[in-house]
Amino acid sequence: MNKINYFKDLTKAHEDFTQLLKLRKFSHEQELSVEHTRCNREILVCGGTGCHSADSALIIDNLNTKIKEAGLSLEVNAHLTGCFGFCEKGPIVKIDPDNVFYIGVKPEDTHEIVQEHLLKGNIIDRLLYEEPTLKQKVKRQDEMSFYKKQHRIALRNCGLINPEDIRESIAQEGYMALGKVITTMSQDDIIKLISDSGLRGRGGGGFPTGTKWSFAKKHEADQKYIICNADEGDPGAFMDRSILEGDPHSVLEAMAIAGYAIGASLGYIYIRAEYPLAIDRLKIAINQARECGVLGNNILGTSFSFNISLKYGAGAFVCGEETALINSIEGYRGEPTNKPPFPAQSGLWDKPTSVNNVETFACIPAIINKGVEWFSSIGTKTSKGTKVFALAGKINNVGLVEVPMGTTLREIIYDIGGGIKNGRKFKAVQTGGPSGGCIPASLLDTPIDYESLTSIGSMMGSGGMIVMDEDNCMVDIAKFYLQFTLEESCGKCTPCRIGNTRLYELIDKITKGKATEQDIVNLKELGQIIKDTALCGLGQTSPNPILSNLRYFEEEFNAHIKDKHCPAGVCKDLLMYEITDKCIGCTRCAKICPVTCISGKVKELHVIDKDRCIKCGSCYEECPVDAITRK
């Protein structure tokens, strides 16, 4: 590619590449000239991790082969794009300008897509999405309930551009904000703009981004650093990964803007090594940005220089905490440190450092390009803009959603998520991951913002949202999250290392039917002590799942303790299996039992020896006539 001289006029590059994007006729030799060949249709194929693992790359190859065989190469182009968010329905293929949205596409479907849709104009009904509530097929993406209430800012380019081609990013105003900032604005101007926008950190704490930058700016040093926290460790969370896979240039641009604002010339993206696709695309994006002169030395011909390196994490959840992350980058054990001093004063290698997460960075170019008033008009009075959530669990539409702050939980779960799977009854939703809490049905109309979620015993967190139905045991759920936190604790402070161990022992007793009512009192007291005394955010929030579940589902805890019964039938030690008179004596249960505790002759009623039964549930699942009860 041409270097800096081409990009001195970034506006001209934007105009050229916008035309290129419209024409959708790309040169695979990466030529910068615009080809003026008319392109009737473009085929966007999801290249996120889920779809990638389901052969989306092969789908692209097959489509382009079939397109060539059909003589449509000058009219149609199939190419890679980022995550559409509708992850459970992938691989996804979208055909524009028809705006037809195909789900569950397989490589062998490509022949039919070319022959029927492209050549004959026939929409392939079997590949369309069916709305679960309406029981009817939907052709267009903008008509799908999953997308209707979304407002994409951080995800604005995911599912739209090819993340491996910088030209497409520039066509969507990529690096325009950086060009504006370093040529027309001072450091104070930028910080004021971000502060006035109301942008708060999307990593969980919700600290004002502009304030964080101002702290780092005011501390003088010969070197300062910008760190992008891409250590996404919450179970079920994949927001940051999808942004990096689908629109890496937005993060690179924002990091450079942050560097200019605080006076830093070096940046690190701390990303877990389990994200190989995101890492590959970041490497491509960094190389392309350097080659084009929007990253590296003398950006866009100015005196400002900013370079970015990748640092791989080993998957430690505690390294999501900024001081533990900094220790890891420096090569030390990933343990948090006492604050103050805060990283803005003494961070990476004791230099002023600003740490923001991926989603926070992804919002910044859009704010600069569209203005403070635009961004601050979205959301609530104290929580501006949008938030990305990874919607998972017992929900029809699993995937990635971005909604304005203030959207209610009910809207996300039922309007966007399509309701609970298999017609089951909603029970709770976990927000904030292991650091958050479970919210019951009575609070489904709670607006999603930082203060509202905190007031009901949960938190925003990085954006994980796990939906549970009546088959989930809330005691077991609390135990699961505490076990996760216990295993991920660095062990540095006593409240987290010892306190959470004792906390886990108490809740383990409850799930085994060995607890007393005093153990509930002990859970509450010990949980509060840990919250008040632990060193870092991991320890301080680790009791949240237990405390919130006790707050809203204490009757389930009491059932385990007083009645020695798990209402959801999940806690194995409290289960009882019995064979009813519906038994036909087929012997299948006896044959599958791993401890041979079931006796009975062929065509006669069988019996379970309850003293020997290990409650594995194999007989319950195997019985062809539902003659075995579990309670």
Side-chain angles (χ1 to χ4, degrees):
M1 288 185 180
N2 293 352
K3 292 194 181 282
I4 242 175
N5 57 341
Y6 187 92
F7 286 89
K8 282 182 179 177
D9 186 358
L10 194 62
T11 303
K12 178 64 165 58
H14 166 67
E15 292 172 353
D16 285 354
F17 293 158
T18 300
Q19 179 67 11
L20 184 73
L21 192 64
K22 285 180 180 177
L23 296 174
R24 272 291 177 215
K25 182 61 187 176
F26 296 109
S27 164
H28 295 291
E29 288 73 36
Q30 299 286 323
E31 294 174 4
L32 289 174
S33 59
V34 178
E35 294 184 37
H36 297 287
T37 305
R38 182 175 178 272
C39 182
N40 294 327
R41 287 191 179 97
E42 61 173 332
I43 304 179
L44 310 175
V45 182
C46 179
T49 291
C51 292
H52 184 77
S53 64
D55 291 330
S56 64
L58 180 58
I59 290 171
I60 295 172
D61 290 342
N62 284 4
L63 279 169
N64 283 323
T65 299
K66 301 297 181 183
I67 287 168
K68 184 176 181 180
E69 291 173 354
L72 298 175
S73 297
L74 298 179
E75 301 175 17
V76 186
N77 178 268
H79 64 92
L80 169 77
T81 188
C83 179
F84 282 93
F86 213 2
C87 304
E88 189 177 25
K89 306 300 181 182
I92 289 169
V93 171
K94 182 182 177 184
I95 301 180
D96 276 337
D98 310 25
N99 200 17
V100 172
F101 198 86
Y102 290 137
I103 64 170
V105 179
K106 298 180 176 61
E108 54 266 31
D109 295 325
T110 56
H111 177 77
E112 186 177 1
I113 290 173
V114 172
Q115 293 297 316
E116 292 297 320
H117 190 131
L118 299 183
L119 288 175
K120 300 178 183 178
N122 298 327
I123 293 175
I124 304 168
D125 191 70
R126 67 179 181 84
L127 295 178
L128 295 175
Y129 171 67
E130 181 179 295
E131 289 284 0
T133 54
L134 302 177
K135 301 297 182 183
Q136 65 182 35
K137 299 280 188 175
V138 181
K139 299 177 183 178
R140 298 168 57 89
Q141 182 180 0
D142 55 4
E143 294 173 348
M144 297 166 64
S145 59
F146 182 77
Y147 291 102
K148 279 184 178 179
K149 289 195 174 182
Q150 291 197 48
H151 187 155
R152 292 192 157 203
I153 297 177
L155 298 174
R156 61 192 177 277
N157 289 328
C158 293
L160 177 63
I161 68 170
N162 181 347
E164 298 182 4
D165 190 339
I166 192 173
R167 298 173 299 176
E168 297 204 26
S169 175
I170 292 172
Q172 293 299 120
E173 297 190 329
Y175 296 101
M176 295 290 286
L178 175 62
K180 176 181 178 180
V181 160
I182 65 177
T183 57
T184 66
M185 300 176 71
S186 68
Q187 292 174 288
D188 291 334
D189 289 338
I190 302 164
I191 291 173
K192 183 178 186 304
L193 185 149
I194 298 301
S195 297
D196 291 347
S197 73
L199 178 66
R200 297 171 65 173
R202 299 305 197 239
F207 192 81
T209 304
T211 303
K212 179 178 282 192
W213 287 10
S214 69
F215 289 161
K217 176 188 175 291
K218 73 178 183 180
H219 293 289
E220 297 296 330
D222 58 344
Q223 180 64 62
K224 296 182 182 181
Y225 298 98
I226 297 293
I227 295 177
C228 174
N229 182 353
D231 189 62
E232 188 173 46
D234 287 9
F238 54 99
M239 302 77 60
D240 293 350
R241 186 195 73 201
S242 294
I243 292 172
L244 293 174
E245 290 175 354
D247 189 18
H249 288 286
S250 67
V251 176
L252 302 184
E253 180 182 12
M255 290 179 68
I257 291 170
Y260 182 80
I262 75 166
S265 61
L266 291 174
Y268 286 91
I269 298 177
Y270 186 86
I271 181 170
R272 48 184 48 225
E274 299 99 308
Y275 285 178
L277 189 59
I279 289 170
D280 288 345
R281 289 183 182 162
L282 276 171
K283 288 179 178 178
I284 292 169
I286 289 171
N287 288 334
Q288 289 181 345
R290 284 175 179 158
E291 192 171 357
C292 291
V294 289
L295 192 65
N297 297 327
N298 304 112
I299 292 175
L300 296 174
T302 69
S303 60
F304 174 59
S305 299
F306 189 79
N307 286 283
I308 294 176
S309 297
L310 302 183
K311 175 67 178 179
Y312 306 139
F317 181 64
V318 72
C319 286
E321 197 279 335
E322 59 183 4
T323 60
L325 182 154
I326 288 170
N327 275 332
S328 179
I329 292 178
E330 292 178 344
Y332 299 110
R333 181 183 173 91
E335 294 179 333
T337 57
N338 289 313
K339 293 186 273 190
F342 291 91
Q345 178 183 354
S346 178
L348 186 62
W349 289 298
D350 300 322
K351 303 294 184 180
T353 304
S354 183
V355 184
N356 293 106
N357 90 318
V358 171
E359 187 182 341
T360 309
F361 278 126
C363 292
I364 287 166
I367 294 172
I368 294 172
N369 286 330
K370 295 192 175 184
V372 167
E373 294 77 12
W374 165 78
F375 186 79
S376 60
S377 68
I378 304 165
T380 67
K381 184 177 180 180
T382 58
S383 300
K384 304 295 185 182
T386 59
K387 182 72 188 76
V388 181
F389 292 97
L391 191 58
K394 306 289 186 67
I395 189 116
N396 281 312
N397 298 337
V398 171
L400 208 61
V401 304
E402 184 173 3
V403 295
M405 294 281 195
T407 303
T408 65
L409 290 164
R410 186 184 302 277
E411 288 177 287
I412 292 179
I413 293 168
Y414 286 96
D415 295 345
I416 297 174
I420 311 305
K421 275 188 173 181
N422 303 318
R424 306 295 287 171
K425 184 180 178 182
F426 171 85
K427 190 172 193 177
V429 57
Q430 169 88 6
T431 67
S435 303
C438 292
I439 302 168
S442 60
L443 295 174
L444 271 178
D445 292 311
T446 301
I448 294 173
D449 59 58
Y450 294 98
E451 287 73 24
S452 295
L453 290 178
T454 301
S455 70
I456 60 175
S458 189
M459 64 183 293
M460 185 78 73
S462 60
M465 188 174 285
I466 312 296
V467 178
M468 289 160 268
D469 67 10
E470 55 196 303
D471 294 328
N472 289 108
C473 170
M474 302 315 293
V475 183
D476 182 67
I477 290 293
K479 178 181 175 181
F480 165 79
Y481 280 111
L482 182 62
Q483 183 178 21
F484 176 86
T485 305
L486 189 61
E487 292 174 351
E488 294 293 334
S489 170
C490 72
K492 184 175 182 178
C493 74
T494 302
C496 188
R497 183 181 68 252
I498 304 299
N500 277 328
T501 301
R502 300 288 88 84
L503 207 61
Y504 182 81
E505 290 170 354
L506 287 171
I507 199 166
D508 187 53
K509 284 174 62 180
I510 296 174
T511 60
K512 292 179 177 177
K514 299 178 181 179
T516 65
E517 292 181 50
Q518 180 60 39
D519 289 318
I520 294 289
V521 177
N522 294 342
L523 274 176
K524 293 178 180 178
E525 290 183 354
L526 181 55
Q528 193 58 52
I529 290 171
I530 295 170
K531 284 178 67 71
D532 294 339
T533 58
L535 173 62
C536 78
L538 182 146
Q540 292 163 7
T541 59
S542 58
N544 280 354
I546 289 178
L547 296 178
S548 70
N549 283 10
L550 277 169
R551 180 176 176 179
Y552 299 116
F553 303 97
E554 189 164 353
E555 72 280 0
E556 282 200 39
F557 286 77
N558 290 330
H560 285 68
I561 293 170
K562 296 177 182 178
D563 305 329
K564 310 300 179 187
H565 171 62
C566 175
V570 171
C571 297
K572 193 168 92 170
D573 291 283
L574 300 181
L575 293 179
M576 297 292 290
Y577 290 91
E578 290 185 357
I579 299 178
T580 68
D581 55 10
K582 291 171 62 177
C583 176
I584 58 175
C586 67
T587 74
R588 288 172 66 173
C589 59
K591 290 176 181 177
I592 202 171
C593 178
V595 292
T596 61
C597 71
I598 300 176
S599 59
K601 296 180 180 180
V602 176
K603 296 185 179 181
E604 291 184 3
L605 182 68
H606 283 48
V607 178
I608 298 176
D609 185 340
K610 295 179 182 177
D611 292 331
R612 294 170 57 198
C613 177
I614 61 172
K615 302 170 184 178
C616 66
S618 297
C619 59
Y620 178 82
E621 295 172 359
E622 184 70 14
C623 182
V625 293
D626 297 326
I628 301 177
T629 62
R630 181 178 65 183
K631 58 183 179 178

